[in-house]
Amino acid sequence: MNNGGLEAAVAPAGGPQPLEWKFSQVFGERTAGEEIQEVDIISAIEFNRTGDHLATGDRGGRVVLFERTDTRDHVGHRRDLEKMDYPMNRHPVFRYKTEFQSHEPEFDYLKSLEIEEKINKIRWCQSANGALSLLSTNDKTIKFWKVQEKKVKKVCSMNVDSTKAMGNGPIVGSSISTSSRQYIANGGCTSNDFSFPSGGFPSLHLPVVTSHEMNLMARCRRIFGHAHDYHINSISNNSDGETFISADDLRINLWNLETNSQSFNIVDVKPANMEDLTEVITSAEFHPTHCNMLAYSSSKGLVRLIDMRQSALCDRHSKLFVEHEAPGSRSFFTDIIASISDIKFSKDGRHMLSRDYLTLKLWDMNMNSGPVKTFQVHEYLRPKLCDLYENDSIFDKFECCLSGDGLRVATGSYSNLFRVFGCSEGSKEATTLEATKTPMRRQGLTSTRPLRSLGSSLGVVRRVKGADTSTLDANGNTFDFATKLLHLAWHPTENSLACAASNSLYMYYA
C-alpha cells in the first residue's frame, strides 16, 4: 500500500525550504513584573474558514473577536496596482473587533459542584446575512452566538424654547426653577396664568428617531445544555452546516444547530460497572468533507474513525489508528504519555494529526497500520517522566494544527515555545520558535538529550512570585515548565500562526 495522499503534497526534490518566521503583532502583551490574572489566561483559539476573523476564549468566560484589516487596506484600482514597482507585504494583520461574556460561573446544586466559566473550545459556524456565528463551550454548556452590526437608533431632543414653554411644565435639562408652581398627578398645572398664543409655538417640534453609528451586538441564539454528565472536551461542526458534535469523557452527542431541546447520543464508552473503565474520550472531530464520518481519540493512544451510517449508536469503529509499541518498552508511564490530547484533520481530509505528550503523529486516512510520520516534541523529557508525573505536568494537554496546504504541522511546548515541522516527503524542517517579538532567537534549542535536573521546580503549575520553575538541558537552554503554550491555530490559507501565551496573543507569518 502506498502512502495514500502524501504524494499529492510532495514538493520538488528535497522538499520545501524551511520557513523563516517573523513577528507580526501581539495583543495583550505582558509587561515586566505584571501579575497575570487567572481569568485573563487564553484557553481557546480558532480562525474562521476564510481566515478573516479570529476568536479567542479565556478562563473568565469571555470571547474576543479579531478581524483582518490588511486585505481591506490594499483594495484599489487595478491601474494603481500596476503602477506599483514593489511587492506588497500581504501578511495578515488583525485588529480588535469586539468581545462579549459567553459564560458565567454556575453551581450545580444536585451534585454540589462549581461549574467554571472557562471557555474550553470555540468553533466558527457558517455565516449568513453578514453576521458572524460561532459555538463556545465551557465544561457543561454550549452556546450558539450570533454577532452582527446593528444601527443604534436615538430619539432627537425636541427643539423647544424653554422661556416660552414654562407653562407646559419643566423642560428636561432646564435650569429654570419651577418649585413655586404646583402640579397635579397627570402632569397638568393648577395655575391658570398660562395662555396659548395664537398660531402656537413655531419652535416646538415632534421628536425624530435617527440612526447613528453601527454597533456590534452579540446575541446568544441558543443554549445547548443538560446533555453531559462529564466535562466537555470537544465540539466540532459538521460539513453539512446543520449539525455539530460535543464530546465529554465517556459520550459523544450529535446536535442540530436549530434544535436545543434534544441531542442524539452516538458514542457511549461508559461500562456497566465504572470499575471496568479503562479509557476515556479525549478529543473528537468531524471529517472536513464527509458529513457522515468523524474521529475521536482516547487516553490509550487510539484514534477511532466511525461512520454514522452504520448504526444509530456507533459502538463499532470503521477504522482504528494505533501505533503498536515496541516489545519490552512498556512501563508504568506508557499509557499516560500515549494519551492523545488533540486530533485535527487536514483541509482535504486525506490526513489526520494527533498529539500525545511526547510526540506529534501524522496519519494517512488510507493506512491505519501506523503513522506516516512521527515528530519528536518532548523526547528530552523521557528520562524525567517520574518527576513530571508527581507534579502533574505529564497531564498537560497540548493542541496541534496543520497548515492549509498540508505541508507543515505545529504544536506547543514549554517555556512558551512552539515547534513547526515539515511533513512532505524528504523534508527535514524542524523549527523551534518562542512566543515573543523575536521568535527565532531560540533556534539553538534542538537538543533531545536528557535534562540535567528538574528537581522540585516542577511543583509550581502557576507562576508564583519568587518561585523558580525553570531548568536547564544539556546545552544550557532554559526551560520553564510554568509557562506552557497549549493553544495555537494555523491560518487556513496562508503561512500565519496565532499562539496563546498565557494572557497574550502572538501572531507570526512566514
Side-chain angles (χ1 to χ4, degrees):
M1 183 180 293
N2 60 13
N3 287 343
L6 262 187
E7 283 82 0
V10 171
Q17 293 296 318
L19 297 177
E20 182 180 352
W21 291 92
K22 300 175 182 178
F23 170 78
S24 175
Q25 55 191 141
V26 59
F27 297 94
E29 184 180 14
R30 178 187 172 194
T31 59
E34 179 185 359
E35 184 177 353
I36 299 175
Q37 299 296 321
E38 181 83 10
V39 294
D40 295 331
I41 296 177
I42 298 174
S43 57
I45 182 170
E46 184 82 3
F47 281 105
N48 72 339
R49 182 172 299 182
T50 63
D52 291 334
H53 290 88
L54 176 68
T56 64
D58 60 28
R59 295 186 183 181
R62 293 164 299 198
V63 173
V64 183
L65 303 184
F66 301 88
E67 67 175 350
R68 187 171 178 177
T69 60
D70 59 296
T71 53
R72 185 183 307 171
D73 295 339
H74 286 97
V75 174
H77 295 289
R78 180 177 178 180
R79 184 177 301 173
D80 296 332
L81 296 176
E82 290 174 348
K83 292 179 181 179
M84 298 175 63
D85 57 354
Y86 57 91
M88 290 189 301
N89 188 8
R90 290 295 299 272
H91 69 271
V93 177
F94 286 79
R95 73 172 179 89
Y96 170 86
K97 186 178 180 72
T98 188
E99 67 179 85
F100 56 89
Q101 189 70 32
S102 175
H103 289 73
E104 300 279 358
E106 299 177 25
F107 189 82
D108 188 336
Y109 292 97
L110 295 178
K111 298 181 180 180
S112 296
L113 292 174
E114 291 184 1
I115 303 174
E116 292 183 346
E117 65 271 33
K118 170 191 169 188
I119 304 296
N120 290 340
K121 294 290 181 180
I122 295 175
R123 289 293 182 268
W124 290 90
C125 303
Q126 293 182 0
S127 300
N129 300 324
L132 301 175
S133 301
L134 55 86
L135 291 167
S136 62
T137 183
N138 64 351
D139 288 338
K140 294 292 184 180
T141 306
I142 307 162
K143 294 186 178 182
F144 180 40
W145 291 91
K146 185 175 182 180
V147 182
Q148 64 182 146
E149 290 184 335
K150 288 195 172 182
K151 291 183 178 180
V152 179
K153 295 183 178 180
K154 295 183 179 180
V155 178
C156 290
S157 59
M158 294 181 292
N159 183 18
V160 179
D161 185 352
S162 60
T163 61
K164 297 182 179 180
M166 282 301 299
N168 289 335
I171 302 300
V172 176
S174 174
S175 61
I176 301 177
S177 175
T178 58
S179 57
S180 61
R181 306 181 67 86
Q182 297 180 356
Y183 297 95
I184 58 178
N186 62 359
C189 182
T190 57
S191 175
N192 294 323
D193 60 351
F194 172 74
S195 60
F196 197 89
S198 60
F201 291 103
S203 61
L204 180 61
H205 301 285
L206 292 176
V208 178
V209 178
T210 60
S211 297
H212 288 256
E213 71 279 357
M214 302 286 284
N215 274 9
L216 278 169
M217 307 291 290
R219 185 164 61 95
C220 184
R221 293 286 305 277
R222 286 173 194 86
I223 298 177
F224 305 89
H226 310 294
H228 289 278
D229 293 330
Y230 304 93
H231 291 178
I232 298 173
N233 55 49
S234 302
I235 53 176
S236 179
N237 300 93
N238 199 344
S239 58
D240 62 9
E242 298 178 356
T243 57
F244 71 94
I245 55 170
S246 59
D248 63 21
D249 292 341
L250 299 179
R251 291 187 176 93
I252 300 178
N253 294 331
L254 177 68
W255 302 83
N256 189 293
L257 284 169
E258 300 296 327
T259 306
N260 60 353
S261 59
Q262 63 177 349
S263 64
F264 299 94
N265 180 227
I266 56 176
V267 175
D268 190 346
V269 300
K270 183 179 181 180
N273 184 358
M274 285 296 286
E275 294 181 355
D276 299 330
L277 182 66
T278 59
E279 65 178 332
V280 295
I281 299 170
T282 57
S283 182
E285 191 84 6
F286 258 122
H287 193 279
T289 57
H290 299 302
C291 63
N292 56 288
M293 304 195 74
L294 63 95
Y296 69 91
S297 60
S298 79
S299 57
K300 277 193 169 182
L302 310 176
V303 180
R304 294 177 173 88
L305 185 71
I306 60 175
D307 190 337
M308 293 190 296
R309 298 173 298 185
Q310 291 181 345
S311 61
L313 183 63
C314 304
D315 50 359
R316 293 183 180 180
H317 54 264
S318 57
K319 280 188 179 182
L320 178 65
F321 298 86
V322 57
E323 184 178 27
H324 300 286
E325 60 189 52
S329 63
R330 186 167 185 82
S331 68
F332 172 79
F333 303 106
T334 299
D335 287 342
I336 299 176
I337 63 176
S339 177
I340 297 174
S341 57
D342 191 24
I343 58 173
K344 292 284 171 51
F345 281 101
S346 61
K347 193 174 182 179
D348 58 4
R350 295 295 302 274
H351 294 87
M352 179 176 61
L353 190 65
S354 65
R355 173 71 154 95
D356 55 49
Y357 187 69
L358 297 182
T359 65
L360 194 61
K361 294 183 176 71
L362 183 69
W363 304 83
D364 188 331
M365 299 306 295
N366 297 325
M367 187 176 70
N368 58 347
S369 58
V372 293
K373 283 213 172 187
T374 300
F375 308 99
Q376 301 296 335
V377 182
H378 284 161
E379 185 62 26
Y380 62 88
L381 292 177
R382 190 178 292 273
K384 293 296 179 181
L385 293 179
C386 184
D387 293 338
L388 294 166
Y389 174 77
E390 291 178 355
N391 297 281
D392 290 338
S393 294
I394 199 171
F395 300 106
D396 289 335
K397 300 183 183 300
F398 294 90
E399 294 181 359
C400 59
C401 58
L402 296 96
S403 61
D405 56 14
L407 296 179
R408 293 174 179 84
V409 296
T411 189
S413 181
Y414 293 105
S415 295
N416 284 340
L417 301 177
F418 60 100
R419 308 289 304 276
V420 178
F421 300 95
C423 53
S424 58
E425 193 69 28
S427 175
K428 301 294 184 182
E429 182 175 359
T431 308
T432 301
L433 304 126
E434 185 178 8
T436 63
K437 290 184 176 181
T438 53
M440 305 290 285
R441 70 177 181 175
R442 295 294 288 266
Q443 282 305 290
L445 180 58
T446 56
S447 172
T448 57
R449 286 182 283 178
L451 300 173
R452 289 179 181 171
S453 173
L454 290 181
S456 60
S457 62
L458 293 179
V460 182
V461 177
R462 298 177 185 172
R463 179 178 293 276
V464 179
K465 188 174 182 180
D468 182 15
T469 59
S470 63
T471 186
L472 301 176
D473 71 351
N475 289 340
N477 291 311
T478 302
F479 293 92
D480 186 354
F481 291 87
T483 56
K484 42 202 168 192
L485 199 152
L486 302 177
H487 313 285
L488 76 171
W490 202 301
H491 193 279
T493 60
E494 302 179 19
N495 286 323
S496 176
L497 276 167
C499 307
S502 190
N503 65 324
S504 303
L505 175 65
Y506 286 90
M507 306 195 72
Y508 305 94
Y509 70 98

